[in-house]
Amino acid sequence: MRILIIEDEVTLNKMLAECLKEFGYQSDVVENIKDGEYYLDIRNYDLILTDWMLPDGSGLDLISTVKQTSPKTAIVVLSARDDKESEIE
């Protein structure tokens, strides 16, 4: 299984990648949407872990783009936001 991690907090993205590697998963790590879009153009992913708030936009914006080109790719949005409106969105 190949996983794309889009997270701007370096410590968290390294920890996620290391933990996934221990369980036998292959992952690529980027820190912004632009780099994430580049990897999405050159590789196929089974799962995308993306931060909600990234330096160059919202991880939520990737959902529609990814689902148009790779409808079977699962997406998990990571967020420190804990308000009801964010959960609904």
PDB file of all heavy atoms in Angstrom, residues 8-25:
ATOM      1  N   ASP A   8       2.494  19.857   7.048  1.00  0.00           N
ATOM      2  CA  ASP A   8       3.528  20.886   7.110  1.00  0.00           C
ATOM      3  C   ASP A   8       4.332  20.865   8.407  1.00  0.00           C
ATOM      4  O   ASP A   8       5.387  21.471   8.488  1.00  0.00           O
ATOM      5  CB  ASP A   8       2.941  22.269   6.869  1.00  0.00           C
ATOM      6  CG  ASP A   8       1.892  22.657   7.892  1.00  0.00           C
ATOM      7  OD1 ASP A   8       1.188  21.774   8.389  1.00  0.00           O
ATOM      8  OD2 ASP A   8       1.766  23.871   8.173  1.00  0.00           O
ATOM      9  N   GLU A   9       3.873  20.152   9.407  1.00  0.00           N
ATOM     10  CA  GLU A   9       4.639  20.028  10.645  1.00  0.00           C
ATOM     11  C   GLU A   9       5.634  18.883  10.464  1.00  0.00           C
ATOM     12  O   GLU A   9       5.266  17.703  10.423  1.00  0.00           O
ATOM     13  CB  GLU A   9       3.710  19.752  11.820  1.00  0.00           C
ATOM     14  CG  GLU A   9       4.426  19.801  13.144  1.00  0.00           C
ATOM     15  CD  GLU A   9       3.494  19.579  14.307  1.00  0.00           C
ATOM     16  OE1 GLU A   9       2.374  20.130  14.302  1.00  0.00           O
ATOM     17  OE2 GLU A   9       3.899  18.828  15.212  1.00  0.00           O
ATOM     18  N   VAL A  10       6.910  19.238  10.363  1.00  0.00           N
ATOM     19  CA  VAL A  10       7.957  18.279  10.002  1.00  0.00           C
ATOM     20  C   VAL A  10       8.035  17.117  10.987  1.00  0.00           C
ATOM     21  O   VAL A  10       8.156  15.959  10.581  1.00  0.00           O
ATOM     22  CB  VAL A  10       9.326  18.997   9.885  1.00  0.00           C
ATOM     23  CG1 VAL A  10      10.439  18.005   9.600  1.00  0.00           C
ATOM     24  CG2 VAL A  10       9.265  20.068   8.811  1.00  0.00           C
ATOM     25  N   THR A  11       7.953  17.389  12.269  1.00  0.00           N
ATOM     26  CA  THR A  11       8.044  16.326  13.269  1.00  0.00           C
ATOM     27  C   THR A  11       6.918  15.314  13.096  1.00  0.00           C
ATOM     28  O   THR A  11       7.146  14.103  13.147  1.00  0.00           O
ATOM     29  CB  THR A  11       7.982  16.918  14.699  1.00  0.00           C
ATOM     30  OG1 THR A  11       9.005  17.904  14.828  1.00  0.00           O
ATOM     31  CG2 THR A  11       8.164  15.848  15.740  1.00  0.00           C
ATOM     32  N   LEU A  12       5.711  15.796  12.862  1.00  0.00           N
ATOM     33  CA  LEU A  12       4.562  14.906  12.696  1.00  0.00           C
ATOM     34  C   LEU A  12       4.666  14.100  11.412  1.00  0.00           C
ATOM     35  O   LEU A  12       4.411  12.895  11.414  1.00  0.00           O
ATOM     36  CB  LEU A  12       3.254  15.706  12.720  1.00  0.00           C
ATOM     37  CG  LEU A  12       1.969  14.911  12.547  1.00  0.00           C
ATOM     38  CD1 LEU A  12       1.854  13.814  13.600  1.00  0.00           C
ATOM     39  CD2 LEU A  12       0.768  15.849  12.609  1.00  0.00           C
ATOM     40  N   ASN A  13       5.063  14.732  10.300  1.00  0.00           N
ATOM     41  CA  ASN A  13       5.118  13.958   9.056  1.00  0.00           C
ATOM     42  C   ASN A  13       6.216  12.897   9.101  1.00  0.00           C
ATOM     43  O   ASN A  13       6.046  11.806   8.577  1.00  0.00           O
ATOM     44  CB  ASN A  13       5.169  14.841   7.799  1.00  0.00           C
ATOM     45  CG  ASN A  13       6.421  15.642   7.620  1.00  0.00           C
ATOM     46  OD1 ASN A  13       7.485  15.301   8.122  1.00  0.00           O
ATOM     47  ND2 ASN A  13       6.306  16.740   6.888  1.00  0.00           N
ATOM     48  N   LYS A  14       7.332  13.195   9.770  1.00  0.00           N
ATOM     49  CA  LYS A  14       8.379  12.178   9.898  1.00  0.00           C
ATOM     50  C   LYS A  14       7.909  11.024  10.776  1.00  0.00           C
ATOM     51  O   LYS A  14       8.180   9.860  10.487  1.00  0.00           O
ATOM     52  CB  LYS A  14       9.654  12.792  10.481  1.00  0.00           C
ATOM     53  CG  LYS A  14      10.406  13.636   9.493  1.00  0.00           C
ATOM     54  CD  LYS A  14      11.682  14.172  10.094  1.00  0.00           C
ATOM     55  CE  LYS A  14      12.418  15.029   9.080  1.00  0.00           C
ATOM     56  NZ  LYS A  14      13.652  15.586   9.640  1.00  0.00           N
ATOM     57  N   MET A  15       7.217  11.343  11.871  1.00  0.00           N
ATOM     58  CA  MET A  15       6.719  10.307  12.767  1.00  0.00           C
ATOM     59  C   MET A  15       5.711   9.403  12.049  1.00  0.00           C
ATOM     60  O   MET A  15       5.772   8.181  12.159  1.00  0.00           O
ATOM     61  CB  MET A  15       6.063  10.932  13.998  1.00  0.00           C
ATOM     62  CG  MET A  15       5.550   9.901  14.989  1.00  0.00           C
ATOM     63  SD  MET A  15       4.474  10.590  16.233  1.00  0.00           S
ATOM     64  CE  MET A  15       3.032  11.003  15.264  1.00  0.00           C
ATOM     65  N   LEU A  16       4.791  10.009  11.298  1.00  0.00           N
ATOM     66  CA  LEU A  16       3.813   9.219  10.551  1.00  0.00           C
ATOM     67  C   LEU A  16       4.505   8.292   9.558  1.00  0.00           C
ATOM     68  O   LEU A  16       4.179   7.106   9.468  1.00  0.00           O
ATOM     69  CB  LEU A  16       2.835  10.137   9.817  1.00  0.00           C
ATOM     70  CG  LEU A  16       1.801  10.858  10.659  1.00  0.00           C
ATOM     71  CD1 LEU A  16       1.090  11.932   9.826  1.00  0.00           C
ATOM     72  CD2 LEU A  16       0.799   9.880  11.241  1.00  0.00           C
ATOM     73  N   ALA A  17       5.465   8.834   8.810  1.00  0.00           N
ATOM     74  CA  ALA A  17       6.173   8.032   7.808  1.00  0.00           C
ATOM     75  C   ALA A  17       6.929   6.875   8.459  1.00  0.00           C
ATOM     76  O   ALA A  17       6.905   5.745   7.954  1.00  0.00           O
ATOM     77  CB  ALA A  17       7.123   8.915   7.009  1.00  0.00           C
ATOM     78  N   GLU A  18       7.591   7.138   9.584  1.00  0.00           N
ATOM     79  CA  GLU A  18       8.345   6.087  10.267  1.00  0.00           C
ATOM     80  C   GLU A  18       7.423   4.995  10.808  1.00  0.00           C
ATOM     81  O   GLU A  18       7.720   3.805  10.686  1.00  0.00           O
ATOM     82  CB  GLU A  18       9.172   6.689  11.402  1.00  0.00           C
ATOM     83  CG  GLU A  18      10.351   7.504  10.906  1.00  0.00           C
ATOM     84  CD  GLU A  18      11.078   8.240  12.024  1.00  0.00           C
ATOM     85  OE1 GLU A  18      10.809   7.958  13.220  1.00  0.00           O
ATOM     86  OE2 GLU A  18      11.915   9.090  11.699  1.00  0.00           O
ATOM     87  N   CYS A  19       6.309   5.402  11.413  1.00  0.00           N
ATOM     88  CA  CYS A  19       5.359   4.425  11.947  1.00  0.00           C
ATOM     89  C   CYS A  19       4.767   3.572  10.832  1.00  0.00           C
ATOM     90  O   CYS A  19       4.635   2.352  10.985  1.00  0.00           O
ATOM     91  CB  CYS A  19       4.248   5.121  12.720  1.00  0.00           C
ATOM     92  SG  CYS A  19       4.807   5.851  14.281  1.00  0.00           S
ATOM     93  N   LEU A  20       4.409   4.192   9.731  1.00  0.00           N
ATOM     94  CA  LEU A  20       3.847   3.437   8.608  1.00  0.00           C
ATOM     95  C   LEU A  20       4.869   2.470   8.026  1.00  0.00           C
ATOM     96  O   LEU A  20       4.532   1.344   7.651  1.00  0.00           O
ATOM     97  CB  LEU A  20       3.337   4.399   7.538  1.00  0.00           C
ATOM     98  CG  LEU A  20       2.095   5.200   7.928  1.00  0.00           C
ATOM     99  CD1 LEU A  20       1.850   6.325   6.930  1.00  0.00           C
ATOM    100  CD2 LEU A  20       0.882   4.302   8.034  1.00  0.00           C
ATOM    101  N   LYS A  21       6.131   2.897   7.970  1.00  0.00           N
ATOM    102  CA  LYS A  21       7.185   2.035   7.439  1.00  0.00           C
ATOM    103  C   LYS A  21       7.349   0.791   8.308  1.00  0.00           C
ATOM    104  O   LYS A  21       7.567  -0.301   7.798  1.00  0.00           O
ATOM    105  CB  LYS A  21       8.498   2.806   7.358  1.00  0.00           C
ATOM    106  CG  LYS A  21       9.608   2.027   6.700  1.00  0.00           C
ATOM    107  CD  LYS A  21      10.866   2.858   6.564  1.00  0.00           C
ATOM    108  CE  LYS A  21      11.951   2.054   5.866  1.00  0.00           C
ATOM    109  NZ  LYS A  21      13.171   2.839   5.701  1.00  0.00           N
ATOM    110  N   GLU A  22       7.228   0.957   9.631  1.00  0.00           N
ATOM    111  CA  GLU A  22       7.339  -0.190  10.542  1.00  0.00           C
ATOM    112  C   GLU A  22       6.278  -1.248  10.254  1.00  0.00           C
ATOM    113  O   GLU A  22       6.496  -2.428  10.488  1.00  0.00           O
ATOM    114  CB  GLU A  22       7.201   0.274  11.991  1.00  0.00           C
ATOM    115  CG  GLU A  22       8.407   0.991  12.523  1.00  0.00           C
ATOM    116  CD  GLU A  22       8.240   1.410  13.974  1.00  0.00           C
ATOM    117  OE1 GLU A  22       7.432   0.795  14.696  1.00  0.00           O
ATOM    118  OE2 GLU A  22       8.924   2.366  14.377  1.00  0.00           O
ATOM    119  N   PHE A  23       5.136  -0.821   9.742  1.00  0.00           N
ATOM    120  CA  PHE A  23       4.055  -1.754   9.423  1.00  0.00           C
ATOM    121  C   PHE A  23       4.081  -2.189   7.956  1.00  0.00           C
ATOM    122  O   PHE A  23       3.143  -2.804   7.469  1.00  0.00           O
ATOM    123  CB  PHE A  23       2.707  -1.136   9.772  1.00  0.00           C
ATOM    124  CG  PHE A  23       2.450  -1.075  11.254  1.00  0.00           C
ATOM    125  CD1 PHE A  23       2.692   0.083  11.958  1.00  0.00           C
ATOM    126  CD2 PHE A  23       1.996  -2.197  11.941  1.00  0.00           C
ATOM    127  CE1 PHE A  23       2.483   0.144  13.324  1.00  0.00           C
ATOM    128  CE2 PHE A  23       1.775  -2.151  13.304  1.00  0.00           C
ATOM    129  CZ  PHE A  23       2.026  -0.974  14.006  1.00  0.00           C
ATOM    130  N   GLY A  24       5.144  -1.820   7.233  1.00  0.00           N
ATOM    131  CA  GLY A  24       5.324  -2.291   5.868  1.00  0.00           C
ATOM    132  C   GLY A  24       4.702  -1.430   4.784  1.00  0.00           C
ATOM    133  O   GLY A  24       4.621  -1.858   3.635  1.00  0.00           O
ATOM    134  N   TYR A  25       4.277  -0.227   5.129  1.00  0.00           N
ATOM    135  CA  TYR A  25       3.675   0.663   4.137  1.00  0.00           C
ATOM    136  C   TYR A  25       4.738   1.549   3.500  1.00  0.00           C
ATOM    137  O   TYR A  25       5.687   1.957   4.158  1.00  0.00           O
ATOM    138  CB  TYR A  25       2.600   1.550   4.766  1.00  0.00           C
ATOM    139  CG  TYR A  25       1.441   0.775   5.324  1.00  0.00           C
ATOM    140  CD1 TYR A  25       1.275   0.626   6.698  1.00  0.00           C
ATOM    141  CD2 TYR A  25       0.505   0.185   4.489  1.00  0.00           C
ATOM    142  CE1 TYR A  25       0.207  -0.086   7.215  1.00  0.00           C
ATOM    143  CE2 TYR A  25      -0.568  -0.532   4.997  1.00  0.00           C
ATOM    144  CZ  TYR A  25      -0.704  -0.661   6.367  1.00  0.00           C
ATOM    145  OH  TYR A  25      -1.753  -1.371   6.875  1.00  0.00           O
TER     146      TYR A  25
END
